Amino acid sequence: MKLVNEGALRITGTKWNQNYDNEIIEKFQLGLRHSRFQYIKIYHWLPPEQDFVMFCCDGSSFGNPGSTGFGVVVRDSACQVLGTLFGGIGVASNYLAESYGIMCALEMAIQWSMQKIIIVSDSKSVLAEFAQGRVSWFLKGRWHMATRKLKQIKYQHCYSEVKFSADCMAKKGALLVAGERQIHMGRPQCLPRVEIPNVEYFRFG
């Protein structure tokens, strides 16, 4: 039974062509199940260029749809955390959470009298819509008002492996009730880790 139990645990993972794996497969006549190739990619976090402020945005949803929230982490060219924002949305989709995160980042930049900003998100589709002005109707008016007051906006895609601080804030936002917001000046204690330049972050696929 111990052998069966060990085999059951091992065959759910990747087969590395070890003799032990082959013996179990042959003993129980399990056959082979091919899986797609696993790869590892290395990414680096890069701070914004001089005179720009980076707004790392993310949305989080416990279910899709489910209880959702958004998070924003603001960084400068010296890699410092200038502030954070997270809030609850209520029951909604991941798409809505990502859109609200970017919209609130734009409005936050105006409130803090910033002119040149970089919006970073792991959602290519939402970034493309904002960059091309194809914003959802319920955000269209707010988007027009925000973009008129900002001098320059860059939209930048990145993977979640180099945007985990915003993901942390978004998960906290999803725990709040709809409409509740929390904003912090500087780096709050509830943000234990932030991205660091010249550090390798790994993406598995």
Side-chain angles (χ1 to χ4, degrees):
M1 290 300 294
K2 182 179 179 181
L3 180 64
V4 172
N5 182 57
E6 290 180 6
L9 291 174
R10 289 176 67 87
I11 62 176
T12 59
T14 302
K15 174 179 175 291
W16 299 109
N17 208 32
Q18 298 294 315
N19 289 334
Y20 184 72
D21 293 326
N22 294 329
E23 289 173 5
I24 292 175
I25 291 171
E26 184 179 353
K27 177 70 175 179
F28 294 97
Q29 300 179 352
L30 298 174
L32 299 178
R33 184 181 64 181
H34 296 284
S35 61
R36 66 189 181 95
F37 178 72
Q38 297 291 311
Y39 63 84
I40 301 174
K41 287 191 175 181
I42 299 174
Y43 291 93
H44 296 85
W45 180 81
L46 299 175
E49 58 194 275
Q50 194 71 30
D51 298 329
F52 276 84
V53 178
M54 177 181 287
F55 288 75
C56 298
C57 311
D58 201 7
S60 180
S61 175
F62 298 124
N64 192 22
S67 178
T68 58
F70 67 88
V72 180
V73 178
V74 188
R75 308 284 297 271
D76 64 10
S77 57
C79 305
Q80 297 299 309
V81 177
L82 302 181
T84 63
L85 166 68
F86 57 91
I89 299 173
V91 177
S93 64
N94 285 329
Y95 170 84
L96 190 65
E98 297 282 357
S99 299
Y100 262 107
I102 293 176
M103 189 68 252
C104 289
L106 293 170
E107 293 173 338
M108 188 179 185
I110 295 171
Q111 292 171 2
W112 288 10
S113 301
M114 296 173 179
Q115 291 295 309
K116 297 181 179 181
I117 67 171
I118 302 173
I119 298 293
V120 178
S121 173
D122 60 3
S123 176
K124 289 183 178 180
S125 58
V126 175
L127 279 176
E129 289 178 356
F130 273 84
Q132 298 167 16
R134 296 185 291 105
V135 183
S136 299
W137 63 269
F138 54 88
L139 295 175
K140 197 77 171 181
R142 292 168 62 180
W143 178 82
H144 276 300
M145 291 181 62
T147 53
R148 283 199 298 263
K149 295 179 180 180
L150 292 167
K151 185 176 181 180
Q152 189 172 357
I153 307 171
K154 294 183 179 182
Y155 295 93
Q156 179 178 309
H157 173 263
C158 77
Y159 290 103
S160 56
E161 285 75 10
V162 286
K163 195 181 53 61
F164 51 80
S165 60
D167 178 68
C168 175
M169 294 293 96
K171 284 182 169 58
K172 293 183 182 298
L175 299 174
L176 301 179
V177 298
E180 184 179 356
R181 304 285 188 269
Q182 289 192 21
I183 187 168
H184 297 88
M185 300 295 291
R187 179 177 172 180
Q189 292 184 348
C190 62
L191 184 59
R193 296 173 60 236
V194 295
E195 302 82 1
I196 303 173
N198 303 319
V199 173
E200 293 183 342
Y201 298 101
F202 300 95
R203 178 177 177 83
F204 301 89

